[in-house]
């Protein structure tokens, strides 16, 4: 006797939204992508320097280390705000933002590498250790893939094509972002 597959849940198709409604439903994705693009830009500067073995010509060693430390600080603050103020609201209706699921797991994976990256930078800034671009690159490689995936995943979850499934326009306008 042939076994039949369980029926697949069919995702509803996104309704045709007016331009104004699309902006309402896509507002969180746009706002988040603004921050994520800043993280991407800083990462690219740092990673290019590590890959080439030399920092940008317009940056002193102190400025380079400061830029990397600011990246760490800003990403930590960004994730803290998300976890304390944004994700709990989203999690009430959106499974992807619940503690045990992927987006928060990605935060934990990112911070395992980010914490080591930041500790290394502190040693370099204090003079306890010389900055070695190959070591810094290895630290970045330890969390880079999950960071970049996370930056994309989060924006996708917050996009209009997903948000309309869970929220009304009025609820979107009241979101804490």
């Amino acid at each position: 006797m042939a076994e039949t597959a369980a029926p697949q849940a069919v995702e509803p198709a996104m309704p045709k939204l007016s331009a104004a409604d699309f902006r309402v439903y896509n507002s969180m994705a746009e706002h988040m992508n603004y921050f994520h693009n800043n993280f991407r830009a800083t990462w690219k500067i740092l990673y290019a320097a590590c890959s080439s073995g030399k920092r940008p010509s317009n940056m002193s060693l102190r400025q380079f280390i400061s830029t990397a430390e600011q990246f760490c600080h800003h990403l930590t603050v960004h994730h803290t705000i998300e976890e304390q103020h944004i994700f709990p609201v989203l999690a009430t209706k959106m499974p992807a933002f619940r503690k045990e699921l992927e987006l928060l797991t990605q935060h934990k994976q990112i911070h395992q590498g980010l914490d080591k990256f930041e500790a290394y930078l502190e040693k370099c800034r204090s003079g306890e250790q010389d900055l070695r671009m190959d070591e810094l690159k290895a630290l970045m490689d330890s969390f880079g893939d999950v960071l970049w995936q996370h930056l994309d995943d989060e924006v996708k979850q917050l996009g209009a094509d997903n948000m309309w499934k869970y929220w009304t326009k009025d609820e979107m306008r009241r979101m804490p972002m």
Side-chain angles (χ1 to χ4, degrees):
M1 171 157 91
E3 203 171 301
T4 58
Q8 295 288 327
V10 176
E11 291 254 338
M14 185 167 114
K16 179 74 174 138
L17 298 175
S18 69
D21 287 350
F22 182 85
R23 280 191 302 276
V24 169
Y25 281 109
N26 207 51
S27 63
M28 289 184 80
E30 287 184 17
H31 194 90
M32 190 67 73
N33 210 34
Y34 169 80
F35 290 104
H36 288 190
N37 282 338
N38 286 316
F39 294 128
R40 288 179 185 105
T42 304
W43 177 277
K44 286 178 183 178
I45 291 167
L46 299 171
Y47 199 82
C50 290
S51 296
S52 70
K54 54 186 177 182
R55 64 183 186 278
S57 59
N58 64 342
M59 271 192 202
S60 68
L61 179 59
R62 179 184 286 275
Q63 289 170 323
F64 182 79
I65 292 171
S66 178
T67 298
E69 288 180 318
Q70 287 173 21
F71 172 84
C72 296
H73 176 72
H74 293 159
L75 188 58
T76 299
V77 168
H78 175 79
H79 284 169
T80 300
I81 291 168
E82 286 179 339
E83 291 173 13
Q84 292 178 1
H85 302 285
I86 311 292
F87 285 10
V89 173
L90 295 172
T92 63
K93 294 186 179 189
M94 300 177 76
F97 293 94
R98 295 192 181 125
K99 283 192 185 300
E100 68 278 2
L101 293 177
E102 191 165 352
L103 293 172
L104 277 164
T105 300
Q106 288 173 336
H107 278 190
K108 289 178 182 131
Q109 292 169 342
I110 291 164
H111 285 276
Q112 286 172 355
L114 188 69
D115 292 347
K116 292 174 187 167
F117 180 70
E118 191 169 24
Y120 179 81
L121 292 164
E122 287 173 21
K123 288 178 183 176
C124 295
R125 184 179 30 82
S126 72
E128 182 181 335
Q129 187 165 347
D130 289 337
L131 176 67
R132 293 196 42 211
M133 293 297 196
D134 60 330
E135 289 181 28
L136 196 60
K137 182 179 180 295
L139 289 166
M140 292 179 79
D141 285 338
S142 75
F143 68 98
D145 287 344
V146 70
L147 172 65
W148 282 79
Q149 185 64 52
H150 176 73
L151 296 175
D152 293 340
D153 289 350
E154 209 169 70
V155 170
K156 184 176 183 203
Q157 283 293 321
L158 296 173
D161 57 338
N162 194 44
M163 296 299 278
W164 75 270
K165 296 175 198 172
Y166 301 99
W167 308 98
T168 66
K169 286 187 291 184
D170 287 338
E171 288 171 327
M172 288 299 301
R173 289 184 184 102
R174 291 192 306 266
M175 286 291 177
M177 199 164 104

